[in-house]
């Protein structure tokens, strides 16, 4: 049966010999990323917790970027998104990405607004 | 080029559905539809969690002070067990995708073996999740709740946590009402705490080493520790209840909303894992009795694999937003 897989990851810089070696390769990448996350989560280097980018700690940005990195490889290689047609890929991924960005932006801004209201309110909430 | 099996592919005219621009079968497309909608459901939950967190950004519990336990071992191990659970789930994803690969090559025995490993991985994960819940509900050190529903925790002067049982010298808590010893009995009573607030106040006053920390975070993101005097004031003026463990109304680790979201999101995800295991088991037995061998393809394994990977994908996000960030 002609089940061909695209065997190149990292934009073609890493090419596996077979689908099975690719699966194990992706597993190794995901494991390394998870280990890095756990180490950073426990060590919490001060450089990363004290400096902020867009009101969020650098450490949290790193976690989020690494999570999206992992999500990409799970979807692309475990769920075989890499082998689907372009139309299929885009209709699944962009739909979710746009709606989620929209939701997260609005909801988080609103949460922060309510925090400010609580903080500068005449009613004291710490009792 | 395309890896999809097209079981129903017949020679059809283009306008009778013969055109397949996405080159995916009906079943797999429907699974993708479901996955997109389920992804939006989960992002709704996680966004709601983010909302509450931003709303209480200065008093939210610190996850690695909450989840510090490993089964059978005592001590303080932040996040190790959750990391283990993440590995179990990623590994079961690997065995699942190996099963799909074996299915493409029509190797029945390999499919059986890899699906078996996947099911075991799923069961280990669900079991670990149940254990996490049990530990979280049971609690560890215990805390005091104030009039405003805020949490006060206890420290010694070296900054180590002190449990309620080490503060109170004796317990004056009454017995739980039961039907057989009451004149007036109105039904089941909520579980009583081990100590009363007065026991803790007395024990706290007697030990000059003890301090209180509030759930409010300092600039560095640590919980605020009060001085001995402030601690005594806070405890004597504001304390109203004892909190041991966590439930939907009270949470010894901080904001009750944290516990609510923890139960809801990990519970919803755990239910997905559970149903994934059930579907995996059904497909597993179908592989064994040769259903897909006779059908000529293992597309059902691919579809359940999509669902299984999705569950893994969601966990990656839950892990980040609940435990790391």
């Amino acid at each position: 049966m002609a089940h061909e897989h695209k065997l190149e990851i990292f934009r073609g810089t890493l090419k596996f010999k077979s689908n099975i070696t690719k699966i194990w390769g992706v597993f190794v990448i995901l494991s390394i990323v998870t280990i890095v996350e756990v180490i950073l989560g426990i060590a919490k280097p001060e450089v990363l917790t004290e400096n902020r980018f867009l009101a969020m700690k650098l450490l949290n940005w790193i976690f989020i970027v690494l999570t999206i990195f992992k999500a990409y490889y799970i979807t692309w290689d475990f769920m075989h998104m890499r082998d689907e047609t372009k139309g299929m890929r885009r209709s699944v991924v962009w739909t979710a990405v746009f709606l989620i960005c929209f939701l997260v932006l609005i909801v988080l801004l609103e949460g922060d607004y309510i925090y400010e209201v609580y903080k500068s309110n005449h009613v004291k909430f710490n009792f | 080029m395309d890896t999809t099996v097209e079981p129903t592919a017949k020679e059809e005219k283009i306008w009778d559905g013969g055109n397949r621009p996405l080159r995916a079968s009906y079943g797999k497309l429907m699974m993708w539809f479901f996955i997109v909608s389920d992804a939006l459901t989960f992002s709704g939950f996680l966004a709601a969690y983010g909302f509450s967190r931003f709303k209480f950004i200065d008093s939210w519990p610190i996850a690695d002070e909450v989840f510090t336990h490993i089964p059978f071992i005592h001590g303080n191990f932040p996040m190790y067990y959750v990391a283990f659970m993440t590995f179990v789930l990623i590994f079961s994803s690997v065995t699942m995708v190996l099963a799909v690969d074996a299915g493409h090559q029509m190797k029945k025995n390999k499919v059986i073996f890899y699906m078996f490993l996947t099911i075991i991985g799923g069961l280990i994960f669900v079991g670990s999740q149940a254990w996490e819940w049990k530990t979280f509900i049971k609690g560890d050190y215990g805390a005091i709740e104030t009039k405003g529903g805020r949490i006060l925790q206890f420290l010694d002067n070296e900054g180590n946590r002190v449990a309620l049982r080490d503060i109170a010298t004796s317990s004056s808590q009454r017995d739980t009402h039961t039907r057989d010893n009451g004149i007036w009995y109105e039904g089941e009573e909520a579980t009583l705490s081990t100590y009363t607030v007065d026991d803790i106040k007395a024990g706290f006053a007697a030990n000059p080493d003890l301090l209180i920390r509030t759930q409010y975070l300092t600039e560095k993101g640590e919980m605020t520790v009060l001085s001995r005097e402030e601690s005594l004031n806070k405890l004597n003026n504001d304390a109203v209840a004892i909190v041991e463990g966590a439930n939907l109304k009270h949470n010894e680790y901080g904001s009750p909303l944290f516990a609510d979201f923890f139960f809801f999101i990990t519970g919803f995800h755990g239910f997905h894992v559970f149903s994934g295991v059930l579907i995996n088991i059904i497909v597993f037995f179908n592989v064994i009795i040769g259903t897909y061998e006779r059908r000529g393809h293992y597309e059902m394994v691919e579809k359940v694999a999509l669902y299984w990977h999705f569950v893994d994908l969601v966990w990656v996000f839950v892990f980040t937003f609940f435990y790391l960030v």
Side-chain angles (χ1 to χ4, degrees):
Chain A
M1 294 182 85
H3 290 299
E4 283 177 33
H5 295 279
K6 292 181 183 164
L7 300 173
E8 291 171 351
I9 64 169
F10 293 142
R11 299 206 152 267
T13 48
L14 186 56
K15 188 166 170 32
F16 291 103
K17 284 199 190 89
S18 71
N19 193 35
I20 291 179
T21 48
K22 186 181 81 167
I23 293 167
W24 287 110
V26 171
F27 172 63
V28 169
I29 294 168
L30 294 178
S31 305
I32 293 171
V33 172
T34 308
I35 290 169
V36 169
E37 281 183 334
V38 171
I39 290 174
L40 282 177
I42 292 171
K44 290 187 181 166
E46 282 208 355
V47 193
L48 298 177
T49 53
E50 296 196 343
N51 296 312
R52 281 159 191 269
F53 174 70
L54 289 181
M56 196 158 70
K57 287 173 190 164
L58 286 183
L59 187 64
N60 289 353
W61 280 112
I62 292 176
F63 286 146
I64 289 169
V65 168
L66 290 179
T67 303
I68 292 168
F69 177 87
K70 282 204 284 190
Y72 173 85
Y73 281 100
I74 289 173
T75 323
W76 253 243
D77 290 310
F78 286 177
M79 297 167 106
H80 299 300
M81 207 41 138
R82 203 184 286 282
D83 307 323
E84 303 287 358
T85 59
K86 200 179 266 180
M88 165 90 178
R89 250 188 343 242
R90 288 181 178 170
S91 48
V92 169
V93 175
W94 287 122
T95 310
V97 166
F98 277 129
L99 286 172
I100 291 170
C101 288
F102 175 66
L103 176 76
V104 166
L105 178 78
I106 287 188
V107 162
L108 293 190
L109 282 178
E110 201 65 16
D112 185 54
Y113 167 72
I114 293 181
Y115 165 71
E116 294 293 335
V117 169
Y118 273 5
K119 204 170 87 173
S120 52
N121 207 335
H122 295 299
V123 184
K124 202 159 176 289
F125 282 85
N126 179 17
F127 54 93
Chain B
M1 177 60 218
D2 62 321
T3 59
T4 51
V5 191
E6 293 180 40
T8 52
K10 292 182 218 127
E11 281 301 316
E12 284 168 335
K13 287 182 182 143
I14 283 180
W15 290 101
D16 288 333
N19 192 5
R20 293 165 194 276
L22 300 183
R23 289 203 212 109
S25 70
Y26 173 80
K28 273 174 76 175
L29 265 187
M30 289 306 116
M31 184 51 92
W32 275 111
F33 263 103
F34 168 72
I35 286 174
V36 171
S37 61
D38 215 22
L40 294 175
T41 308
F42 269 108
S43 47
F45 293 157
L46 283 174
Y49 172 82
F51 174 84
S52 299
R53 188 167 175 174
F54 271 60
K55 182 172 160 187
F56 297 112
I57 194 84
D58 60 348
S59 59
W60 201 249
I62 301 164
D64 30 316
E65 293 189 12
V66 179
F67 306 102
T68 57
H69 302 276
I70 294 183
F72 313 117
I73 304 171
H74 288 283
N76 185 18
F77 305 103
M79 300 211 305
Y80 289 96
Y81 196 59
V82 202
F84 164 75
M85 283 163 65
T86 309
F87 272 112
V88 168
L89 210 53
I90 291 179
F91 192 73
S92 79
S93 250
V94 171
T95 53
M96 190 80 232
V97 73
L98 288 171
V100 172
D101 190 76
H104 283 157
Q105 298 160 17
M106 303 298 283
K107 290 177 182 159
K108 182 179 161 186
N109 286 332
K110 270 191 157 180
V111 179
I112 294 174
F113 174 66
Y114 285 130
M115 289 219 55
F116 178 73
L117 288 185
T118 310
I119 292 167
I120 297 297
L123 289 175
I124 294 176
F125 183 86
V126 176
S128 306
Q129 193 67 270
W131 183 86
E132 281 265 296
W133 271 46
K134 191 210 94 186
T135 319
F136 185 67
I137 292 170
K138 189 161 152 268
D140 197 358
Y141 295 99
I144 289 274
E145 198 171 295
T146 68
K147 283 183 263 183
R150 301 292 188 260
I151 288 299
L152 304 176
Q153 298 173 335
F154 298 97
L155 301 178
D156 61 16
N157 50 12
E158 282 159 13
N160 301 315
R161 295 284 304 277
V162 180
L164 293 181
R165 57 184 169 275
D166 300 323
I167 297 170
T169 42
S170 62
S171 174
S172 59
Q173 184 63 280
R174 63 179 171 83
D175 292 336
T176 312
H177 280 307
T178 49
R179 184 175 287 279
D180 53 335
N181 63 11
I183 313 169
W184 190 264
Y185 181 73
E186 288 185 326
E188 285 300 312
E189 189 181 36
T191 316
L192 293 174
S193 55
T194 325
Y195 305 100
T196 64
V197 177
D198 289 330
D199 295 336
I200 300 300
K201 278 182 184 170
F204 189 84
N207 186 347
D209 287 342
L210 294 176
L211 295 173
I212 278 183
R213 77 174 181 180
T214 69
Q215 69 183 71
Y216 284 89
L217 303 174
T218 60
E219 293 258 304
K220 288 186 101 182
E222 289 156 357
M223 291 175 170
T224 316
V225 183
L226 302 179
S227 68
R228 175 72 186 167
E229 230 161 85
E230 289 169 331
S231 297
L232 281 168
N233 268 335
K234 192 87 186 156
L235 188 63
N236 291 329
N237 296 331
D238 292 350
V240 285
I242 301 276
V243 191
E244 288 168 306
N247 53 43
L248 292 174
K249 288 179 188 158
H250 307 281
N251 172 12
E252 70 159 61
Y253 303 102
S255 173
L257 271 175
F258 178 83
D260 299 345
F261 277 112
F262 176 76
F263 290 130
F264 195 73
I265 294 178
T266 64
F268 201 73
H269 177 265
F271 183 69
H272 273 75
V273 181
F274 175 72
S275 49
V277 169
L278 285 190
I279 302 168
N280 266 332
I281 288 173
I282 293 169
V283 173
F284 174 69
F285 282 116
N286 268 319
V287 176
I288 290 182
I289 62 174
T291 309
Y292 308 124
E293 198 72 30
R294 282 196 297 280
R295 202 176 278 176
H297 58 82
Y298 281 84
E299 204 199 52
M300 194 56 85
V301 178
E302 268 183 69
K303 281 183 272 192
V304 71
L306 280 180
Y307 179 68
W308 192 252
H309 297 313
F310 171 70
V311 168
D312 180 26
L313 184 68
V314 170
W315 179 254
V316 166
F317 282 89
V318 172
F319 176 62
T320 303
F321 292 113
F322 250 95
Y323 298 93
L324 291 176
V325 168

